[in-house]
């Protein structure tokens, strides 16, 4: 059994906070390093799947998350003419199953308060620029050149645009997707959230708007934008956007109008991240730093939460750190590979300049959602329960994902 490791966590985001808390709770000495003086979430809201929700339950945060989020029963995507391109329901897996739309600020607050209640230490305003190995241990170096450590384990959880990744694992690949999005939280002025669905409208592959219920009377709105128009400082023409978005989804006009005048959009770009391995000696990568994807399947935060749980569980169940990290890789390789590949395959059908992919999507995707076999596979993909292309984990009788499965 491994006892009382000295652990550094780089990044106070979703994956880093969950890992730090779970490891501190099991007796390890954990220090979290965060570059911001005041740790904060960036962006609007996201969809938690039964998988990520199970980790919140393990952290004792499920009831509060349910109370502050919005239950989501499935996903509906339609073209501008109303033709279905996606129709997925959690109930296809289990009548009690559902997702949870949640503001990022709420998810952050839940995880952060829980971290502060644990024995983990938090060092803010500390941007880590390097990790230096000495034998079996490693130290972290911050932006002022100060070293901290040595640590038995350094967990790199610094997100999709990780600067440490390329430095520590030069063989990592992390190309930027050619499309990103603008997103904001908006009041539900059109009753869109009443359907309890993540709803999307698409025209071809260049126009996509999404509305996700994230709290009582609040929605997170996404709008696709090519990355070359998302560069910092580049203005976004919200007058033109308002016209295009309203034509695409007239029923949402009041919400679009409000979003255009409030102009509270953040910009997001995504990467397709692949590492040669999860760890190198005592340095392990989790969350988006290890496997960033496009958000098309709504899995990134869920995968990060599962990584955190699997890491803490693997350490608790192993005799030594090397065996624990090997066990982590065995547990997480299949699901992560599946979601990275599936997101990469699906994204150009929704965000690209390919007219052909748009036509194929409109012709076949909606119909295939109703084919026996395919429907179940698509529902389990949405719910985050896939182990790979051929298998998935069944939800239990209460519609819950079991972390020990
Ligand atoms: C538009 C959009 C929609 C999304 N929708 C969903 C969804 O519906 N469902 C879902 O599950 N996921 C969704 N995601 C993905 C999700 O946001 C990410 O997968 C998740 O936030 C990754 O968590 P993380 O902890 O790995 O990284 P992050 O949450 O990015 O945290 C990284 C932390 O590391 C800190 N940091 C960075 N560099 C350093 C450094 N050098 N030193 C110290 N600290 C550092 C950062 O400040 C930050 O606090 C979406 C993403 C986008 C962009």
């Amino acid at each position: 059994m491994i006892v009382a490791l000295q652990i550094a966590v780089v990044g106070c985001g979703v994956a880093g906070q969950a890992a730090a808390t779970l490891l501190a709770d099991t007796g390890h000495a954990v220090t979290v390093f965060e570059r911001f003086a005041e740790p904060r979430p960036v962006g609007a809201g996201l969809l938690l799947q039964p998988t990520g929700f199970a980790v919140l339950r393990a952290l004792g945060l499920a009831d509060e998350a349910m109370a502050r989020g919005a239950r989501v029963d499935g996903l509906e995507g339609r073209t501008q003419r109303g033709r279905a391109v996606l129709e997925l329901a959690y109930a296809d897996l289990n009548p009690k199953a559902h997702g949870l739309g949640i503001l990022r600020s709420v998810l952050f607050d839940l995880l952060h308060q829980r971290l502060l209640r644990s024995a983990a230490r938090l060092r803010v305003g500390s941007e880590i620029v390097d990790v230096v190995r000495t034998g079996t241990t490693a130290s972290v170096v911050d932006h002022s050149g100060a070293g901290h450590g040595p640590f038995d384990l350094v967990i790199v959880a610094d997100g999709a645009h990780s600067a440490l990744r390329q430095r520590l694992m030069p063989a990592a690949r992390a190309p930027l997707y050619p499309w990103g999005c603008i997103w904001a939280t908006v009041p539900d002025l059109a009753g869109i959230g009443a359907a309890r669905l993540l709803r999307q409208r698409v025209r071809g592959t260049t126009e996509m708007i999404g509305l996700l219920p994230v709290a009582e009377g609040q929605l997170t709105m996404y709008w696709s934008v090519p990355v070359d128009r998302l560069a910092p400082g580049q203005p976004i023409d919200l007058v033109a956007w308002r016209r295009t978005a309203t034509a695409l989804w007239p029923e949402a006009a009041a919400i679009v109008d409000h979003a255009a005048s409030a102009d509270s959009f953040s910009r997001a770009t995504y990467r397709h991240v692949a590492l040669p391995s999860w760890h190198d000696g005592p340095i392990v990568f989790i969350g988006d730093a290890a496997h960033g994807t496009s958000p098309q399947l709504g899995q990134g935060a869920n995968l990060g939460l599962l990584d955190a749980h699997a890491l803490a569980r693997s350490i608790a169940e192993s005799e030594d750190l090397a065996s624990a990290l090997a066990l982590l890789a065995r547990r997480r390789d299949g699901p992560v590979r599946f979601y990275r590949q599936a997101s990469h395959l699906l994204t150009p059908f929704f965000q690209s300049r390919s007219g052909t992919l748009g036509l194929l999507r409109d012709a076949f995707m909606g119909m295939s959602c109703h084919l026996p076999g395919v429907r179940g596979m698509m529902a389990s993909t949405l719910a985050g329960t896939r182990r790979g292309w051929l298998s998935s984990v069944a939800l239990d009788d209460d519609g819950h994902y079991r972390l020990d499965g």
Side-chain angles (χ1 to χ4, degrees):
M1 193 185 154
I2 305 172
V3 284
L5 294 174
Q6 296 288 328
I7 298 176
V9 177
V10 182
C12 189
V14 178
Q17 298 202 84
T21 305
L22 290 164
L23 287 161
D25 282 359
T26 44
H28 301 288
V30 182
T31 309
V32 181
F33 295 87
E34 168 58 43
R35 64 179 164 174
F36 290 134
E38 244 184 73
R40 58 172 192 262
V42 179
L46 52 75
L47 182 57
L48 279 177
Q49 307 297 351
T51 46
F53 194 70
V55 180
L56 293 191
R57 192 175 313 108
L59 286 163
L61 302 173
D63 290 345
E64 206 181 336
M66 271 313 284
R68 294 174 70 183
R71 180 185 162 122
V72 172
D73 291 330
L75 192 161
E76 172 213 81
R78 294 189 181 279
T79 65
Q80 78 283 6
R81 296 205 174 88
R83 185 181 173 88
V85 292
L86 279 174
E87 281 182 317
L88 302 176
Y90 294 99
D92 285 334
L93 299 177
N94 180 300
K96 293 185 183 163
H98 60 83
L100 184 74
I102 192 162
L103 287 165
R104 292 172 92 86
S105 53
V106 170
L107 178 62
F108 179 85
D109 185 47
L110 290 174
L111 289 169
H112 199 58
Q113 295 309 319
R114 181 67 176 80
L115 175 78
L116 297 179
R117 290 197 298 275
S118 79
R121 290 198 315 146
L122 175 60
R123 291 186 76 112
V124 293
S126 186
E127 179 171 3
I128 301 305
V129 295
D130 203 0
V131 182
V132 181
R133 281 177 64 176
T134 322
T136 57
T137 62
S139 300
V140 299
V141 181
D142 70 23
H143 59 290
S144 71
H148 307 268
F151 296 100
D152 303 303
L153 177 66
V154 174
I155 300 171
V156 181
D158 57 348
H161 303 291
S162 166
L164 286 175
R165 179 177 49 222
Q166 232 55 44
R167 184 166 182 79
L168 301 173
M169 273 206 186
R173 284 176 292 119
L176 211 54
Y177 271 93
W179 288 70
C181 73
I182 52 173
W183 52 333
T185 297
V186 288
D188 185 3
L189 301 173
I192 296 280
R196 298 209 298 210
L197 297 171
L198 164 55
R199 301 175 73 183
Q200 294 180 339
R201 289 292 178 274
V202 291
R203 188 200 308 265
T205 50
T206 58
E207 289 179 20
M208 177 175 70
I209 184 168
L211 288 172
L212 168 71
V214 285
E216 184 65 41
Q218 284 186 290
L219 304 167
T220 280
M221 168 185 279
Y222 310 86
W223 177 261
S224 249
V225 179
V227 281
D228 53 10
R229 285 203 248 133
L230 285 172
Q234 180 144 341
I236 291 176
D237 183 350
L238 289 177
V239 175
W241 171 73
R242 182 184 196 155
R243 224 177 13 247
T244 314
T246 305
L248 176 57
W249 198 347
E251 295 80 7
I255 300 173
V256 169
D257 283 354
H258 184 277
S261 3
D263 189 6
S264 56
F265 285 104
S266 341
R267 304 170 185 214
T269 57
Y270 351 117
R271 290 179 186 273
H272 180 61
V273 178
L275 297 189
S277 75
W278 286 83
H279 67 99
D280 182 14
I283 306 169
V284 65
F285 290 76
I286 63 169
D288 275 11
H291 46 66
T293 61
S294 103
Q296 199 59 48
L297 287 171
Q299 300 295 329
N302 296 281
L303 290 172
L305 288 166
L306 287 178
D307 291 349
H309 188 271
L311 176 59
R313 183 178 167 212
S314 299
I315 289 175
E317 290 174 1
S318 300
E319 291 299 320
D320 57 69
L321 193 56
S323 317
L325 296 179
L327 183 56
L328 168 76
R330 283 202 299 283
R331 284 187 162 137
R332 298 298 297 139
D333 260 350
V336 160
R337 191 177 314 115
F338 170 79
Y339 281 104
R340 204 172 41 219
Q341 290 173 349
S343 302
H344 201 52
L345 278 174
L346 200 63
T347 297
F349 285 92
F350 290 86
Q351 290 191 294
S352 70
R353 296 210 180 275
S354 167
T356 312
L357 290 182
L359 289 173
L360 286 171
R361 177 201 63 202
D362 295 354
F364 300 113
M365 212 176 268
M367 189 179 66
S368 64
C369 287
H370 295 281
L371 294 176
V374 177
R375 187 170 177 85
M377 176 169 182
M378 289 174 95
S380 60
T381 301
L382 171 68
T385 61
R386 299 299 306 175
R387 269 199 280 236
W389 288 96
L390 299 177
S391 67
S392 64
V393 179
L395 298 176
D396 71 12
D397 291 346
D398 294 320
H400 292 160
Y401 179 81
R402 291 181 59 93
L403 291 165
D404 55 2

